[in-house]
Amino acid sequence: MYIIQNAIKNLGRNKGRNILTAMIIFAIILATAVSIIINTTTSAIIEDYKSRFGSKVNIEFDVSHPVQMDDLETVTVEQRREFAKSKLLKSASFRLRAYVIPKDLHSLDEAENGGNNTVVGGQGQPQFREPTALLIGSSRKDISDDFAEGKRKIIQGEMYENKNECLISEQYAKLNNLSIGDNIILESEYADEPMPEELTIVGIYEDKTAIGNELPYKSPLFNRGNEILADFDDVCGMDLAKNMIKMGFIDSEYILKEPSMIEAFEKEVRSKGLSKQYLVSTDESSYNKIVGPVIGLSKITNTFLVVVLALGSMILILLSVLSIRERKYEIGVLRAMGMKKRKVAFGLLTESIVITMACLVLGLGIGSAVSQPMADSMLQNQIEIAEQNQNANGGSNGGATTLDDIINPAKPLSEVSIQIDSTAVLKISVIALILAGVSSLVGIMYITKYEPIKILSERN
Amino acid sequence: MSVLTMNNVSYKYDGTTKTVLKNINMDFEKGRLYVIVGKSGAGKSTILSLISGLDTATGGSICYNGTDMSTIDRDEYRAKSIGVIFQGYNLLTNATALENIILSMNISGSKEKNKRRFALDLLARVGIDEETAKRKVLKLSGGEQQRVGIARALSHNPDIIIADEPTGNLDSDTEENIMNILRELATIYEKCVIIVTHSKSVAAYADELIVLNQGKLASLS
């Protein structure tokens, strides 16, 4: 006990040296804390996205090997359902998109596009009308990620449950003066074969997906307020959707139990008849685009951490070597008084630990306060670098660009919410303890090397 | 009764051939005050280093209460059995005089309940008042530091007290006071007091005067 008391008193007795040591340790701990706090958060984000993207399997047409229309093998709804029965999957969902023309109704952004129902197509060929709305059939109970994430929510009425029921957006309802219980008629884009379907509006949803996502050009198909939502099976049964099914306008989302099961799943779906014209893959390009800047941030903080620890340790050892000249007399006196080597060493270590703990508390407090703005600034830099790289590559991210990519482009994470968890605190504390050990290491080595008579005779 | 015995003790520094001490045989008893005199470089301080357990003999043996010192824990021996008054004081300069005494008591494992009071009394006994006792050693004069060193040597009530020029920095009145204390420790408190000095007046306090000449001892009384 007296060794601890003496060590604490010693801190006050040698203020100059201890303040210098404390400043260095504080700087190291602060830098370490910021690095680890940011790194822990980014690692969690990366793991989360890796798990999500690694588990989410897409079955898409292989655009790198185009085929003639007549040779195109479609993946039928039945096949997709069969794939969904795989025991490797946690869940599966389907979405069918059908371009439609709501009869006698206006669409959002219709005026900017110069009106609707423009007929195109040559003689002897099908006459197409320009679609003005998108009918989406979803097999998910929560409809889509937008509803799950709160970007969309039903504000009037209820979820569709029966055949020929649908949801429309609040803006669309206002534009056409529609309300719950009204019927709307949807027609196909084929002018000579409209295949009308009558749907009843059972719910109206609020749509916030457009906020911060404004496109430079206006078109009814790019305005998500024109989306009419219904049940997947229901839409599959509609005549106007049949061509869409044939053309593969179905998105299947298969969520694996483990990302590592991708190969086994591919083998299974191939054995169930999936054509080689289709790829079974995870969405790597979106993953890279979204998480890329965060990975960059993580790499920077890791490098920064290593540099800080290496340089900091060297400075601490240097300081210890210099201060031992001052301390060796004290060590000699204590040893001459009969204090055992291990007790002297414990005293030195206690001094370092007390200084380090004070720096740890201060470093953690300030570190947690500055981590968020630092992470924001560094992430912004990473996003800019990623954008510059993409521009240099001609805007390509390596994958095919679809309409969905234009409407819902994968955006890099623009912010990370920095949080301190117990793992980060534990890592920082362990590093702090190692620093305490390093800063008292030279003194301890000195004690074990020299006898008190040598130390005292050198001084005298 | 012999508390400390030197049996054919020899000593030479590492890497040299010159023998500083040659076959020293000497018994030191409790209740007596020994004064070792000799020319500079005669080996007086070396004897003190060996007796105090700070150094080890290169030949022969030193026994404490009949036990060879090479077999005992020398840290324990220094902490409990011997009190050393160094010529260069060897105090913790950034600590106060009082803290030096209390730390010495702590190291020895002193069971004294009120260590602070005991230390202040001890310091007062060597002429250090409470105000001075609370000052850092660095701010004390050489004489005051010498007295703090003496108080520290007495703080853990050791069997043997050894002193290297204990009155070297003291005025004659304080010297007399300190020598009376050391004398009392030997006669009243039955301690074995060993002093190395050049001072004839200090030598006058000796029960046994020992002359060290060319590495050999000769007892004069």
Side-chain angles (χ1 to χ4, degrees):
Chain A
M1 188 64 190
Y2 77 88
I3 294 172
I4 294 172
Q5 284 174 343
N6 189 54
I8 291 166
K9 279 183 183 172
N10 256 347
L11 295 176
R13 287 173 193 155
N14 305 292
K15 283 193 194 79
R17 183 184 66 219
N18 290 325
I19 287 171
L20 185 61
T21 308
M23 282 166 66
I24 293 168
I25 292 179
F26 171 70
I28 299 169
I29 289 180
L30 180 61
T32 305
V34 170
S35 302
I36 289 180
I37 291 168
I38 294 176
N39 202 263
T40 309
T41 309
T42 53
S43 296
I45 292 170
I46 292 166
E47 276 309 307
D48 177 39
Y49 274 84
K50 200 180 273 181
S51 156
R52 277 202 251 168
F53 280 84
S55 303
K56 191 171 162 182
V57 180
N58 299 317
I59 294 179
E60 288 176 323
F61 182 73
D62 183 1
V63 289
S64 62
H65 295 93
V67 292
Q68 294 291 326
M69 198 61 188
D70 292 343
D71 298 332
L72 180 69
E73 296 177 42
T74 53
V75 186
T76 64
V77 176
E78 290 69 31
Q79 269 181 310
R80 290 175 193 270
R81 289 189 202 280
E82 194 58 31
F83 301 160
K85 289 176 185 169
S86 171
K87 287 181 179 172
L88 301 169
L89 298 175
K90 192 158 64 181
S91 65
S93 61
F94 308 105
R95 191 178 67 142
L96 170 58
R97 288 170 292 144
Y99 296 110
V100 295
I101 298 155
K103 194 178 178 187
D104 302 329
L105 292 175
H106 295 289
S107 294
L108 298 158
D109 290 340
E110 179 184 82
E112 285 82 350
N113 200 40
N116 67 352
N117 296 346
T118 311
V119 178
V120 292
Q123 268 193 336
Q125 289 181 332
Q127 301 289 299
F128 286 103
R129 293 181 296 172
E130 192 174 324
T132 54
L134 193 60
L135 173 64
I136 297 175
S138 171
S139 69
R140 283 173 61 167
K141 282 183 181 170
D142 58 357
I143 308 173
S144 65
D145 287 342
D146 293 328
F147 280 90
E149 291 164 9
K151 291 177 189 167
R152 283 180 168 182
K153 65 177 177 185
I154 297 172
I155 50 169
Q156 280 182 51
E158 56 195 18
M159 175 71 176
Y160 47 76
E161 283 180 359
N162 303 311
K163 203 168 184 301
N164 288 356
E165 288 181 346
C166 71
L167 305 177
I168 60 168
S169 74
E170 189 182 13
Q171 303 100 301
Y172 197 82
K174 273 185 189 165
L175 181 70
N176 292 294
N177 203 23
L178 295 169
S179 55
I180 306 291
D182 288 351
N183 289 334
I184 55 171
I185 295 170
L186 305 180
E187 293 180 346
S188 79
E189 55 193 331
Y190 297 97
D192 45 2
E193 200 181 352
M195 295 175 272
E197 291 284 350
E198 189 170 351
L199 275 69
T200 305
I201 299 165
V202 291
I204 293 173
Y205 64 85
E206 182 187 52
D207 183 24
K208 290 180 182 170
T209 55
I211 297 170
N213 199 16
E214 287 83 10
L215 292 168
Y217 42 90
K218 306 281 186 188
S219 164
L221 286 185
F222 291 166
N223 191 321
R224 299 196 62 200
N226 291 325
E227 288 179 359
I228 298 162
L229 311 177
D231 178 60
F232 176 76
D233 290 336
D234 197 9
V235 178
C236 278
M238 294 177 187
D239 288 339
L240 56 73
K242 277 176 184 159
N243 270 330
M244 302 294 173
I245 296 170
K246 195 178 174 186
M247 286 191 290
F249 275 59
I250 299 177
D251 301 322
S252 312
E253 191 177 274
Y254 300 105
I255 309 291
L256 292 169
K257 286 175 182 167
E258 292 286 336
S260 59
M261 293 172 171
I262 179 77
E263 282 181 15
F265 180 69
E266 181 173 2
K267 204 174 168 184
E268 186 178 334
V269 294
R270 297 280 181 214
S271 71
K272 285 178 177 173
L274 180 68
S275 161
K276 287 275 169 65
Q277 290 176 359
Y278 292 85
L279 292 175
V280 178
S281 62
T282 53
D283 192 357
E284 201 172 332
S285 66
S286 291
Y287 168 78
N288 288 335
K289 197 169 180 184
I290 294 171
V291 191
V294 180
I295 293 173
L297 176 61
S298 178
K299 281 180 183 167
I300 288 175
T301 52
N302 267 335
T303 311
F304 182 61
L305 179 65
V306 171
V307 171
V308 163
L309 285 179
L311 279 179
S313 301
M314 280 193 271
I315 293 169
L316 270 181
I317 289 172
L318 191 66
L319 187 71
S320 293
V321 171
L322 295 175
S323 68
I324 203 66
R325 292 169 68 86
E326 189 186 334
R327 298 218 75 173
K328 70 178 182 182
Y329 166 67
E330 183 189 333
I331 293 166
V333 170
L334 290 171
R335 294 281 294 118
M337 285 161 77
M339 190 182 274
K340 291 185 185 299
K341 284 179 182 177
R342 64 169 188 275
K343 288 187 175 175
V344 180
F346 180 63
L348 294 179
L349 195 60
T350 304
E351 283 179 40
S352 291
I353 287 173
V354 171
I355 292 174
T356 308
M357 286 302 120
C359 293
L360 177 65
V361 172
L362 209 60
L364 269 177
I366 296 175
S368 57
V370 301
S371 290
Q372 185 67 61
M374 282 189 74
D376 290 345
S377 165
M378 288 160 80
L379 185 63
Q380 205 52 46
N381 270 336
Q382 289 298 305
I383 291 170
E384 282 168 19
I385 290 167
E387 279 171 1
Q388 281 167 10
N389 287 342
Q390 199 179 344
N391 291 339
N393 293 334
S396 165
N397 59 13
T401 305
T402 64
L403 183 63
D404 206 35
D405 288 336
I406 297 167
I407 299 171
N408 284 313
K411 283 186 169 178
L413 281 176
S414 58
E415 57 183 39
V416 286
S417 177
I418 298 296
Q419 286 167 339
I420 305 181
D421 60 9
S422 55
T423 315
V425 173
L426 189 68
K427 279 183 190 170
I428 298 164
S429 303
V430 168
I431 288 175
L433 281 175
I434 293 170
L435 287 177
V438 167
S439 65
S440 53
L441 185 70
V442 178
I444 292 169
M445 282 169 65
Y446 197 86
I447 298 161
T448 53
K449 198 173 174 185
Y450 295 106
E451 284 299 315
I453 184 71
K454 181 167 171 58
I455 300 170
L456 294 176
S457 63
E458 270 179 16
R459 180 179 186 265
N460 293 332
Chain B
M1 184 199 161
S2 177
V3 65
L4 203 67
T5 309
M6 299 177 84
N7 301 312
N8 289 319
V9 172
S10 300
Y11 186 86
K12 58 182 174 185
Y13 290 108
D14 282 344
T16 63
T17 50
K18 189 190 170 191
T19 304
V20 183
L21 300 175
K22 293 172 193 166
N23 301 323
I24 303 284
N25 288 292
M26 185 79 204
D27 283 335
F28 296 97
E29 292 176 4
K30 282 186 177 179
R32 290 180 73 80
L33 191 150
Y34 298 87
V35 175
I36 302 174
V37 294
K39 289 178 183 173
S40 293
K44 302 188 296 292
S45 294
T46 304
I47 282 192
L48 291 194
S49 294
L50 297 178
I51 293 172
S52 61
L54 287 169
D55 210 345
T56 49
T58 51
S61 64
I62 301 171
C63 295
Y64 169 67
N65 283 335
T67 308
D68 190 334
M69 270 176 55
S70 63
T71 65
I72 62 174
D73 181 344
R74 287 196 292 148
D75 290 332
E76 191 88 359
Y77 170 74
R78 285 200 299 275
K80 292 181 176 173
S81 307
I82 196 159
V84 185
I85 301 160
F86 294 96
Q87 188 175 12
Y89 323 131
N90 288 345
L91 297 165
L92 295 174
T93 50
N94 279 327
T96 64
L98 182 63
E99 285 168 345
N100 267 274
I101 309 300
I102 292 174
L103 183 60
S104 171
M105 293 168 76
N106 283 327
I107 292 171
S108 70
S110 166
K111 296 279 187 275
E112 191 64 47
K113 280 184 181 166
N114 191 342
K115 291 191 177 82
R116 184 185 153 83
R117 187 71 261 157
F118 181 86
L120 283 171
D121 288 346
L122 203 54
L123 284 164
R125 203 166 147 202
V126 293
I128 300 287
D129 60 31
E130 191 166 338
E131 195 188 329
T132 312
K134 289 175 184 170
R135 279 161 55 193
K136 278 192 175 183
V137 166
L138 207 59
K139 292 185 177 174
L140 300 180
S141 69
E144 286 170 329
Q145 288 188 42
Q146 184 75 294
R147 281 178 276 171
V148 175
I150 293 166
R152 183 183 64 184
L154 306 178
S155 64
H156 51 283
N157 193 27
D159 287 341
I160 306 161
I161 293 157
I162 59 177
D164 193 356
E165 297 286 4
T167 59
N169 292 299
L170 304 179
D171 58 66
S172 56
D173 285 349
T174 314
E175 177 185 305
E176 190 181 344
N177 180 29
I178 293 300
M179 285 314 299
N180 283 332
I181 291 169
L182 292 174
R183 174 87 239 158
E184 263 180 30
L185 286 168
T187 54
I188 300 172
Y189 296 98
E190 284 287 305
K191 307 290 179 194
C192 170
V193 181
I194 305 166
I195 300 170
V196 163
T197 187
H198 285 102
S199 166
K200 286 178 183 171
S201 56
V202 170
Y205 285 88
D207 291 324
E208 195 163 336
L209 186 64
I210 300 158
V211 178
L212 189 61
N213 189 21
Q214 292 185 332
K216 291 187 174 179
L217 284 181
S219 177
L220 299 182
S221 56

